Amino acid sequence: MARLSNYVLSLLGTFVFSQGIQAYDYLSHARSSSDALMHWYNQDTGVFNGTGWWNSAECITALADIQGIDSKSNFDDVLQNTFEINKNIWTTKSDFYDDEGWWALAWIKAYDLTRNQTYLKAAEQLFDDMAKGWTTKCNGGIWWDKDKTYVNAIANELFLSVAAHLARRTWDIKYLNWAVKEWQWFEQSGMINKNNTINDGLDGSCSNNGYTVWSYNQGVILGALVELSKASFDSSYIHIAKDIAWAAIHELTDSKGVLHETCEKGCGGDVSQFKGIFNRNVALLYTATSDPGLKQFLEVNAQSIWKNDRDSENRLGLKWSGPYDKADASTHSSALMALIAAASVQNI
Ligand SMILES: *[C@@H]1O[C@H](CO)[C@@H](O)[C@H](O)[C@H]1NC(C)=O
Ligand SMILES: *[C@@H]1O[C@H](CO)[C@@H](O)[C@H](O)[C@H]1NC(C)=O
Ligand SMILES: *[C@@H]1O[C@H](CO)[C@@H](O)[C@H](O)[C@H]1NC(C)=O
């Protein structure tokens, strides 16, 4: 029944397109794909089969995001189940600070949806643990890992984003202070290169290591700066975010405007998660800028995913430009985030 109605919807979409009217109902596509994500949900572990611990935080974030914009979607039980099963291991399950950041952002989103303080408290607890990773090695910033081997972009962008989000939700000045301190360090750390894109991290002598410009490193920073600008009432952060977003769009999209990761012939199970994170954060930046080019970027990518990167059960693969190859909870939830991002800006 669900499959039939999706089929009818897609026929209808094709028909309407041929009449030159709005062809893509981003919200219904996002809804169908959110339901499809549940194919991989393991009720007993509270996480998604066949993918990693942090990837499940992204799956949960996507479900919370769709619920926030769609009155027909309700994943309260899933959020609650995942939380309850794993509630004692948020800060101990992983040896990586970025994993804590992903879960903190997931629970902040759950808090935004439900106003349930339990989720906010978990995010604060995760943040406190991340703050223990602050290091003087490169005059600031947090380590990527609890073994203290690497100072990189993603852990620091997440630390900034979680701090800025908590600043606006608790109004505890400690979070704003951390966010400003992290940004002041990050901005001059050397990780933002002269093209305004962000490399992976710093080498042993604290210089930009020139490693891959991954999409998610261009993304998390956008949502972080939007939140920081709101928390500090300082719009200058938005201008910086726009420069980074456009630099990334120029560097990482093909001639049709579709986003790619550099490794799409063989990305691992972490990288297959990245692109949707960029789009999710571009949508947050769009809400703060109304830049029509950003909206267009989101629409082009959502259209390409739906048209070229989907199987008959609405599962979504790694290559947004197509052809569809195979899907797992990581490729699927990543592309789902891009569908949700387009749906979230459609009427604003
Ligand atoms: C997830 O994996 C477990 C263990 O292999 C299996 O028992 C369960 O049926 C799977 N669930 C889903 C939704 O695939
Ligand atoms: C708040 O969320 C927690 C974790 O999911 C849940 O156990 C609790 O019942 C929720 N409280 C309310 C009032 O819904
Ligand atoms: C900047 O972009 C140019 C053109 O795409 C590229 O050749 C160069 O390597 C980039 N520089 C850095 C520091 O990423």
Side-chain angles (χ1 to χ4, degrees):
M1 181 62 196
R3 217 181 300 172
L4 178 65
S5 62
N6 286 332
Y7 179 65
V8 170
L9 264 178
S10 71
L11 276 184
L12 189 65
T14 312
F15 173 73
V16 173
F17 185 71
S18 66
Q19 307 302 299
I21 311 168
Q22 178 84 51
Y24 287 88
D25 181 350
Y26 301 108
L27 188 61
S28 79
H29 299 169
R31 184 186 304 136
S32 304
S33 300
S34 307
D35 293 338
L37 176 59
M38 294 307 290
H39 285 301
W40 288 283
Y41 186 64
N42 185 328
Q43 198 74 30
D44 300 329
T45 59
V47 294
F48 292 77
N49 275 0
T51 194
W53 172 240
W54 80 273
N55 305 77
S56 283
E58 299 314 287
C59 297
I60 290 290
T61 302
L63 297 177
D65 277 345
I66 179 96
Q67 184 171 333
I69 59 167
D70 179 29
S71 58
K72 293 182 188 156
S73 294
N74 189 329
F75 294 101
D76 282 348
D77 290 350
V78 177
L79 300 181
Q80 200 159 327
N81 185 59
T82 293
F83 189 92
E84 284 300 324
I85 290 174
N86 296 289
K87 67 182 170 190
N88 296 321
I89 57 171
W90 301 128
T91 58
T92 54
K93 166 93 178 172
S94 166
D95 295 328
F96 298 92
Y97 288 114
D98 55 343
D99 290 6
E100 296 185 335
W102 300 117
W103 280 108
L105 291 179
W107 297 129
I108 288 168
K109 184 68 203 182
Y111 167 75
D112 287 349
L113 268 185
T114 62
R115 299 283 143 190
N116 182 331
Q117 290 287 334
T118 304
Y119 295 130
L120 193 61
K121 289 277 170 268
E124 292 192 89
Q125 195 190 346
L126 283 158
F127 178 83
D128 286 344
D129 204 56
M130 294 175 87
K132 292 182 195 153
W134 190 260
T135 173
T136 52
K137 173 168 163 49
C138 296
N139 300 317
I142 64 166
W143 293 103
W144 172 49
D145 52 344
K146 294 182 181 175
D147 284 348
K148 307 185 177 183
T149 64
Y150 186 29
V151 175
N152 72 357
I154 194 60
N156 282 287
E157 292 183 26
L158 285 162
F159 186 61
L160 172 60
S161 191
V162 176
H165 278 82
L166 289 175
R168 282 218 305 136
R169 285 155 183 83
T170 65
W171 296 107
D172 180 341
I173 194 70
K174 125 180 155 180
Y175 295 114
L176 183 58
N177 290 341
W178 268 119
V180 170
K181 183 172 163 173
E182 170 64 43
W183 171 248
Q184 285 173 347
W185 174 79
F186 189 85
E187 189 182 23
Q188 58 73 55
S189 68
M191 282 188 278
I192 308 177
N193 64 48
K194 65 177 171 27
N195 293 349
N196 267 331
T197 54
I198 299 172
N199 295 93
D200 194 67
L202 301 179
D203 63 19
S205 44
C206 300
S207 301
N208 184 327
N209 62 17
Y211 290 178
T212 308
V213 173
W214 298 117
S215 62
Y216 76 159
N217 275 327
Q218 327 308 309
V220 172
I221 195 69
L222 308 179
L225 291 172
V226 167
E227 284 293 324
L228 180 54
S229 116
K230 289 179 183 167
S232 61
F233 305 97
D234 180 349
S235 62
S236 66
Y237 297 114
I238 300 289
H239 302 301
I240 300 165
K242 261 180 98 161
D243 290 344
I244 294 172
W246 278 110
I249 290 171
H250 285 130
E251 197 163 316
L252 301 179
T253 57
D254 64 23
S255 60
K256 293 181 176 153
V258 178
L259 185 65
H260 291 272
E261 214 68 74
T262 48
C263 61
E264 284 180 357
K265 289 202 176 86
C267 297
D270 285 325
V271 179
S272 56
Q273 194 72 52
F274 291 176
K275 296 199 298 293
I277 293 163
F278 180 73
N279 288 47
R280 175 177 197 256
N281 283 281
V282 167
L284 297 176
L285 180 60
Y286 176 76
T287 63
T289 59
S290 302
D291 177 343
L294 296 179
K295 184 172 183 170
Q296 193 187 9
F297 164 80
L298 295 172
E299 290 174 343
V300 163
N301 279 274
Q303 289 173 18
S304 184
I305 289 165
W306 196 251
K307 192 159 170 275
N308 304 313
D309 188 30
R310 178 170 59 107
D311 75 2
S312 60
E313 297 186 62
N314 291 323
R315 299 187 201 187
L316 311 170
L318 171 68
K319 257 186 107 172
W320 293 358
S321 57
Y324 174 83
D325 171 8
K326 58 185 190 307
D328 58 28
S330 169
T331 66
H332 181 85
S333 58
S334 178
L336 169 60
M337 271 192 179
L339 299 182
I340 297 170
S344 73
V345 302
Q346 187 156 26
N347 299 313
I348 55 175

